[in-house]
Amino acid sequence: MMIGPAIELGLTTPVLATDPAESAAAVAAQVRIGRHDDAQAVSALAAEVDVITFDHEHVPTQILEDIEHAGIAAVRPGPAALVHAQDKLVMRERLTALGHPCPRWWRIGSAADLEDALAESGGRIVIKTPRGGYDAHGVQIIERAEQAQDWLAEHGELLAEELVPFTRELSAQVARRPGGEVVAYPVVQSVQKDGVCYEVVAPAPGLDAQSQQPIQALALAIAEDLGVTGMLAVELFETPGGEVLVNELAMRPHNTGHWSMDGAVTGQFEQHLRAVADLPLGATTPVAPVSVMVNLLGGAAEDLAPGAHAALAADPELKIHLYGKSVRPGRKIGHVTLTGTDADELLERAHRAERLIIDGPAPVTAAPATGAPATAVPATGAPLTVETSGETR
């Protein structure tokens, strides 16, 4: 999804992919095949560019530190910042030291630590693996210490957090250039499905501009405190009392910002490129009072073209972004966006399009001749050209 904006900005974007069939490799003009955790492969890519950036947080910190120290390329966000999105224990420790609001948490290094955390939290806690988790992977709720023993043995340390009685989840996205210029997007509301971001409403219902300001200020302060370059998403819990607690950080374009591709003057993918390339940041002004995004999670249809064709025909204002990924149940394979004035109406239309795309349009039944059995006419769709993307978590 950064390829299109990169072309418009005149930026050349070689891509490191593990397979030529990956989405980003399918659309990039220059592709290197290699793993993100292979120091030689990442360094070879860095040697070809001025700036190296990421679509996920899983490049080992040491590889990035070595590239930075050797002066091979600028790493943005730098490893000293990115580690706070890579390692949840590092993130919690640093944010707590800085005074930013977080859930109550414990560092777990033994079964005794688990027992203590369970006792102090009232008998139930959230356990997270420090590294490698995403989309509900590496997260579980436990009531007994033995439920996390295998994770503890595998990872050595775990993060335990209180179960926050939140009313909804919010996300505040900001962008920051190397010199410190920053911009903030409207705070959005997100809804999860089986631990995966499912729908987003921008701005979050019930948050006027004045109510958004302290949340945006929190995200901007975190970006400054951690020295982030590029996009930063601060995922938050909103409590019944109206306070917010930091849940997760992502230093890249993020699911909760997909609405901005069609709903803001500058979409998050262009903004990330502007920031890491040290270009002036773009306006974040919404183009409509409300924008919604609904993720497409793999369903019954293996061929998405017929459903996408039907969805576009049914709603000419709909925007579809497919990722060029094979379909698996529950896998993020694309998203749709709509802009307008009424969030409920927009979500209803977006979900209608979602069902058409992931399950396919219903077969049309031909009217039978007298005495003849009805025959099903399979739905067909003309070839459809859509935007593709790499893995976006």
Side-chain angles (χ1 to χ4, degrees):
M1 288 184 169
M2 282 189 259
I3 299 294
I7 293 169
E8 294 171 350
L9 292 169
L11 301 174
T12 303
T13 51
V15 167
L16 178 67
T18 57
D19 189 284
E22 285 186 357
S23 303
V27 297
Q30 301 177 35
V31 181
R32 275 187 165 273
I33 302 302
R35 289 187 54 82
H36 65 273
D37 54 3
D38 181 335
Q40 185 174 354
V42 179
S43 296
L45 175 72
E48 297 178 356
V49 300
D50 299 306
V51 176
I52 186 167
T53 193
F54 325 95
D55 72 344
H56 62 70
E57 290 90 358
H58 306 304
V59 181
T61 308
Q62 187 62 54
I63 293 176
L64 300 178
E65 288 178 344
D66 290 345
I67 290 171
E68 188 174 64
H69 292 159
I72 300 172
V75 180
R76 293 176 178 163
L82 188 64
V83 69
H84 298 91
Q86 294 175 317
D87 191 309
K88 293 179 176 62
L89 281 167
V90 173
M91 179 264 291
R92 280 282 175 253
E93 194 165 57
R94 180 67 174 147
L95 292 186
T96 301
L98 290 167
H100 297 310
C102 295
R104 190 181 183 192
W105 64 278
W106 298 263
R107 181 184 292 270
I108 304 298
S110 66
D113 292 339
L114 277 170
E115 295 286 4
D116 290 344
L118 282 163
E120 293 175 28
S121 64
R124 296 181 77 206
I125 51 175
V126 180
I127 293 293
K128 299 180 179 181
T129 58
R131 287 179 176 258
Y134 68 93
D135 287 350
H137 297 284
V139 179
Q140 64 172 314
I141 297 172
I142 68 167
E143 297 178 348
R144 303 183 313 278
E146 57 266 27
Q147 290 176 282
Q149 286 291 4
D150 55 342
W151 279 15
L152 185 57
E154 179 182 354
H155 297 280
E157 282 191 316
L158 298 172
L159 170 65
E161 296 178 345
E162 66 176 330
L163 273 168
V164 176
F166 62 90
T167 55
R168 61 175 173 174
E169 293 184 73
L170 303 174
S171 179
Q173 277 194 301
V174 298
R176 183 176 180 273
R177 287 174 69 185
E181 180 193 0
V182 292
V183 292
Y185 284 86
V187 178
V188 306
Q189 173 183 292
S190 67
V191 173
Q192 317 302 308
K193 181 178 182 179
D194 298 326
V196 179
C197 180
Y198 184 43
E199 67 178 41
V200 170
V201 178
L207 279 184
D208 58 22
Q210 183 174 354
S211 301
Q212 289 186 51
Q213 285 178 359
I215 302 174
Q216 291 171 318
L218 170 62
L220 290 168
I222 291 173
E224 182 66 30
D225 289 342
L226 302 184
V228 176
T229 298
M231 290 294 302
L232 169 68
V234 181
E235 296 182 84
L236 303 149
F237 295 128
E238 184 180 54
T239 69
E243 304 296 320
V244 294
L245 300 172
V246 177
N247 179 26
E248 304 276 2
L249 301 179
M251 296 180 191
R252 51 173 169 80
H254 188 258
N255 243 177
T256 57
H258 284 348
W259 70 272
S260 66
M261 297 174 69
D262 305 302
V265 172
T266 310
Q268 65 166 345
F269 293 96
E270 177 184 344
Q271 196 77 278
H272 185 73
L273 287 169
R274 285 181 179 232
V276 300
D278 204 11
L279 299 173
L281 300 180
T284 58
T285 312
V287 300
V290 179
S291 296
V292 302
M293 184 281 297
V294 169
N295 259 328
L296 304 175
L297 307 179
E302 293 185 9
D303 180 4
L304 303 180
H309 189 179
L312 291 172
D315 195 337
E317 295 181 354
L318 182 75
K319 296 291 186 179
I320 300 177
H321 301 272
L322 300 181
Y323 304 161
K325 290 156 55 173
S326 59
V327 177
R328 292 199 307 264
R331 186 187 195 190
K332 284 185 284 192
I333 52 177
H335 68 269
V336 298
T337 64
L338 281 164
T339 58
T341 58
D342 185 290
D344 291 337
E345 183 257 345
L346 293 173
L347 284 172
E348 182 180 351
R349 288 163 55 193
H351 284 298
R352 188 161 57 241
E354 170 210 4
R355 300 314 310 178
L356 276 172
I357 297 168
I358 68 171
D359 290 336
V364 178
T365 302
T370 304
T375 57
V377 179
T380 59
L384 181 68
T385 301
V386 294
E387 181 172 342
T388 61
S389 165
E391 187 80 22
T392 307
R393 297 187 173 113

